[in-house]
Amino acid sequence: MSTMVGASVSSMRIGAVRAVARRVPGAPRDGARVFVLSTAKRPTGAARLMTGSRSWNRGGTRVRASKDDETAVRDVSKRRRAHPLDDETAPSTASTPADRDVADDEPVNLVEEFKRGMDFGNSMKERFTTARIDDRGLPIADALVCVTASMFVATMVLALGIPRPSWLVPAPWVPRWRSLPFLVPAVSHGTKLAACWIPGALAAKAYESEAYDGSVEEAVSRTVKGGCFAIGILILITQFSLTVQFAAKGMPPPQLGDSYETDLILNGAASELIADSFFEAVALIGWRIVRCKTDIPPDDPSNTRWYD
């Protein structure tokens, strides 16, 4: 009786091992001889006599394949390593060059693409022509913040004795009383930065109520988007001013590597551009966070267009 039970248990374990082996990559193929040596107590008495010379192993369950099957498994593994895109592997989702060529050769509806481009252009134009400004005093406040940041930079430069930027030149027609001659260039430079920021804020929809009465994350996000647009405008203005300065002296537009003096001028302009972007970003982001957390009553919504 014990022998029959042991045989049935062994057959069940062999079937389970074969089922598991089919799921394991590189396992023996169907029909390979698999021997299971399971742990069990050493039989005694009649059971020991009936089992005869069967070997019992006190270790864990082991799966042992014949040498021919092991050789076949090694060959399959080598072939898979040599040909990773073989049929036995999972199909790759990467498109082949032929597929990409077919996709490029597909016909394009030019009329639909033109309509999409026109719709996108009209949507961008509406951000400036029909902009929604829920707080009509916010553009003025932003401009004052830009001018204040420029005056703060000028004050720190003069107080610490740092080399002055190119725009901080004393006005000759202002009375020389303390730092009063530097006030005009500081205000002028801040006005230029404010003129760059306001179009960026319109492009980022930073004057809508969601940009300053919603969450702080939304306020910061729209401020950063508007700042990126403003930095682009400031870069264009800087390039144009440098080209005009060099053209007034009969020189071509400046490029890095033309001369040592040209490199100094371009590096100085780039440094000032980075400094302006940094200080204006800190000032505007801080102001927008304060505005977002401040409870200010909204304006009359009857007039929502900035040019009305």
Side-chain angles (χ1 to χ4, degrees), residues 24 37 49 55 82 91 94 102 119 130 143 146 177-178 185 193 201 207 210 223 230 234 245 273 283:
V24 178
L37 301 179
L49 294 175
S55 62
V102 172
D119 293 339
T130 59
C146 293
W177 181 72
R178 291 193 173 185
L193 297 179
Y207 293 126
E210 295 83 359
T223 305
L234 184 60
Q245 290 177 8
L273 183 63

Side-chain angles (χ1 to χ4, degrees), residues 148-194:
T148 303
S150 178
M151 295 179 63
F152 172 78
V153 172
T155 302
M156 296 301 297
V157 167
L158 295 175
L160 299 177
I162 302 174
R164 298 196 299 265
S166 60
W167 52 267
L168 191 58
V169 179
W173 49 271
V174 178
R176 293 184 175 276
W177 181 72
R178 291 193 173 185
S179 298
L180 186 61
F182 296 97
L183 179 62
V184 175
V187 173
S188 175
H189 186 68
T191 304
K192 182 181 75 171
L193 297 179

